[in-house]
Amino acid sequence: MTKATERTEHVLLSHWLDNQAYPGVSGSTAAVTNPATGAVTGRVALGSVEDARAVIDAAAAAFPAWRDTSLAKRTQILFAFRELLNARKGELAEIITSEHGKVVSDALGEVSRGQEVVEFACGIPHLIKGGFTENASTKVDVYSIRQPLGPVAIISPFNFPAMVPMWFFPIAIAAGNTVVLKPSEKDPTASLWLAQLWKEAGLPDGVFNVLQGDKTVVDELLTNPKIKSVSFVGSTPIAQYVYATATAAGKRVQALGGAKNHAVILPDADLDLAADSMVNAGFGSAGERCMAISACVAVGPIADDLVAKIAERTTPLKIGDGTKDSDMGPLVTKAHRDKVASYIDAGEADGATIVVDGRNVQPDGEAEGFWLGPTLIDHVTPEMSVYKDEIFGPVLSVIRVETYDDALELINSNPYGNGTAIFTNDGGAARRFQNEVEVGMIGINVPIPVPMAYYSFGGWKASLFGDSHAHGTEGVHFFTRGKAITSRWLDPSHRGIELGFPQNV
């Protein structure tokens, strides 16, 4: 364990503005716990409106100079951040494990996927270059440019305290914006670690800021006129609120909501591959992923064999402290653990079959940890709450249908449309599925179809509010706005003799 994770409940996890810790004036705090032990490891500041405005003002004050910093200099800082992150990502992974509970290998994967966006943003000079048309009219040229918005807000969830912020802030900063990141109060330390890394990379004061807190500071971010855009990832009800409130205040918004992700297993699928994939996608990170597969749709006569293969792979999984040799760690809080367990209770009461029961798991960890083992439930029907709701835990439901059309109808009737997958060896069936399914991200024999950073991440229906997805081209356009310029010059200027090799400065 690194020194970064050796804390006590007396440690205050504060805000960050102008490249230094800022304790704020509210005096309110909340406990931060280690999910594997239940112990309080620190207290996070819960900002007031005054605290929020202080952080926002710092971002606003830093914007003019950062906007006018050359692309060459911005890119140099981004590359320096990338190198520091690559060298020290193990520290960040341990911090994530200590506050979220996911195993270290999973936390390292989270950091690596976030770093893909950092690397994508290193190409910002190419990504925001405009176009030029000479002599659009006689001696008249027309060209386009893209410029930053100003201070932007990022509101991120507890399940990916590093990756989700990195979906947004590398592009925002590279494009010339300043950032206010509001992390989850459940696992806030990763945001402060990233802020310190930006400082070491040479980012000027006020360009990257952290605002800790709850709904009080969120509402200020959504309504403060100095904030020009809001990027949010979380549950659908909150995403709806964020979208409605921020757009009413005239801001750009990308609000990624909840999910109920289905995997369709056709009769011709490789059942061993499908079973492996269901375990990986259903129970990785204790199911606390917006792209987790929570509904396995077994088509036709394969259901019994498929369920048996999934159960065979689920039972031996080792549950324990994420810093040890474990396959799956605890859930993030006791309240969340109890809520997820209540869905298993409800499914059982509704007549579903509990094939593998995680409620009485014997973990390799302290008894006070927030433990819930992988749970496999068969004979689930669409009317059951275990199917209808986004559970956000290690619960995999099996829904049996007769035909491909039944499976498609089930998915398209669901209010969510984040991710889905199909397992088949029939190319025609896969092509038909990708064309007909009403979901934003699709995997073909791939259970978690999170796109690479140069594509964009986002779902359909109640999984996305606003028109813009995260990262990729859509992310670049979200954090910039275009101008079209029409110009006529009657006399070209003369710069005189200059023999030195031109340099980017």
Side-chain angles (χ1 to χ4, degrees):
M1 192 70 67
T2 65
K3 291 182 179 180
T5 59
E6 295 173 355
R7 301 194 307 273
T8 72
E9 61 180 307
H10 303 293
V11 172
L12 176 66
L13 304 169
S14 62
H15 316 285
W16 182 272
L17 67 83
D18 285 338
N19 272 341
Q20 60 186 341
Y22 167 63
V25 299
S26 76
S28 297
T29 64
V32 177
T33 57
N34 183 333
T37 66
V40 175
T41 57
R43 301 198 68 86
V44 62
L46 297 179
S48 62
V49 171
E50 292 76 15
D51 294 328
R53 289 176 180 171
V55 175
I56 292 168
D57 287 348
F63 172 65
W66 184 243
R67 173 196 59 202
D68 294 337
T69 299
S70 70
L71 281 171
K73 181 61 177 177
R74 281 189 236 153
T75 304
Q76 289 168 8
I77 294 173
L78 211 63
F79 268 103
F81 178 82
R82 186 262 179 199
E83 292 304 301
L84 288 169
L85 181 59
N86 191 52
R88 294 170 52 189
K89 59 186 177 183
E91 293 178 30
L92 182 55
E94 289 190 5
I95 289 170
I96 294 168
T97 295
S98 71
E99 291 185 347
H100 174 270
K102 66 179 67 176
V103 298
V104 171
S105 60
D106 193 22
L108 279 169
E110 168 183 345
V111 176
S112 296
R113 291 308 302 266
Q115 185 159 356
E116 290 175 9
V117 184
V118 177
E119 293 167 351
F120 171 75
C122 285
I124 198 67
H126 174 76
L127 297 170
I128 63 171
K129 68 180 182 181
F132 190 97
T133 301
E134 185 180 30
N135 277 333
S137 185
T138 303
K139 295 187 177 181
V140 173
D141 305 325
V142 179
Y143 54 99
S144 63
I145 58 176
R146 299 202 69 83
Q147 294 183 321
L149 306 177
V152 301
I154 300 167
I155 304 169
S156 67
F158 73 83
N159 60 321
F160 286 103
M163 185 186 74
V164 166
M166 282 195 279
W167 281 353
F168 304 105
F169 69 65
I171 298 172
I173 289 172
N177 302 282
T178 55
V179 168
V180 176
L181 169 62
K182 191 280 174 196
S184 170
E185 58 272 29
K186 295 181 178 67
D187 43 13
T189 303
S191 62
L192 297 173
W193 189 93
L194 289 164
Q196 180 64 42
L197 209 68
W198 274 119
K199 180 178 180 178
E200 293 179 33
L203 195 68
D205 293 356
V207 177
F208 183 82
N209 309 275
V210 178
L211 175 62
Q212 312 282 9
D214 51 19
K215 187 176 184 296
T216 298
V217 300
V218 168
D219 284 343
E220 184 63 26
L221 291 173
L222 301 183
T223 56
N224 190 298
K226 293 181 180 179
I227 295 293
K228 302 306 178 184
S229 74
V230 176
S231 302
F232 171 85
V233 178
S235 70
T236 287
I238 301 177
Q240 290 174 310
Y241 173 79
V242 166
Y243 180 73
T245 306
T247 54
K251 305 183 191 305
R252 288 188 177 187
V253 182
Q254 46 184 180
L256 283 66
K260 194 69 182 183
N261 302 319
H262 302 71
V264 176
I265 317 299
L266 293 186
D268 70 317
D270 181 326
L271 292 190
D272 289 314
L273 170 64
D276 289 342
S277 297
M278 293 306 94
V279 172
N280 295 338
F283 306 134
S285 194
E288 293 173 327
R289 293 171 174 163
C290 68
M291 289 296 286
I293 293 294
S294 57
C296 173
V297 186
V299 179
I302 62 166
D304 287 342
D305 287 346
L306 178 63
V307 169
K309 287 178 179 291
I310 296 173
E312 177 185 317
R313 289 157 169 79
T314 301
T315 304
L317 293 177
K318 291 184 280 187
I319 314 305
D321 185 334
T323 63
K324 301 176 182 177
D325 182 21
S326 303
D327 298 305
M328 195 186 89
L331 273 68
V332 68
T333 64
K334 183 180 185 300
H336 186 57
R337 183 266 175 211
D338 293 345
K339 181 179 179 181
V340 174
S342 73
Y343 278 104
I344 304 172
D345 298 339
E348 188 173 35
D350 288 340
T353 302
I354 311 299
V355 180
V356 180
D357 193 339
R359 290 172 291 187
N360 299 313
V361 67
Q362 298 299 315
D364 179 15
E366 297 186 25
E368 294 79 10
F370 311 136
W371 308 108
L372 185 69
T375 299
L376 176 63
I377 307 180
D378 195 8
H379 300 288
V380 173
T381 63
E383 297 77 26
M384 298 178 182
S385 62
V386 73
Y387 170 76
K388 289 191 298 183
D389 297 346
E390 183 183 28
I391 298 174
F392 225 61
V395 180
L396 178 64
S397 299
V398 178
I399 302 96
R400 299 178 179 226
V401 299
E402 292 298 322
T403 67
Y404 164 88
D405 288 331
D406 293 334
L408 183 69
E409 174 62 22
L410 181 71
I411 298 171
N412 287 349
S413 297
N414 195 278
Y416 296 110
N418 203 46
T420 189
I422 187 169
F423 286 80
T424 179
N425 285 312
D426 185 335
R431 192 175 188 280
R432 179 183 173 190
F433 182 75
Q434 72 180 39
N435 179 58
E436 295 178 337
V437 73
E438 296 173 4
V439 173
M441 292 172 284
I442 300 159
I444 298 173
N445 298 315
V446 174
I448 304 178
V450 176
M452 298 296 289
Y454 40 86
Y455 286 89
S456 297
F457 179 102
W460 287 14
K461 299 187 286 188
S463 294
L464 178 72
F465 300 88
D467 297 325
S468 180
H469 293 180
H471 58 72
T473 302
E474 292 187 51
V476 174
H477 285 185
F478 180 80
F479 286 115
T480 59
R481 51 187 173 179
K483 283 182 178 177
I485 300 99
T486 304
S487 70
R488 173 189 291 148
W489 295 101
L490 302 181
D491 285 317
S493 61
H494 181 64
R495 295 183 59 189
I497 296 172
E498 185 176 322
L499 299 184
F501 193 85
Q503 299 180 49
N504 292 322
V505 293

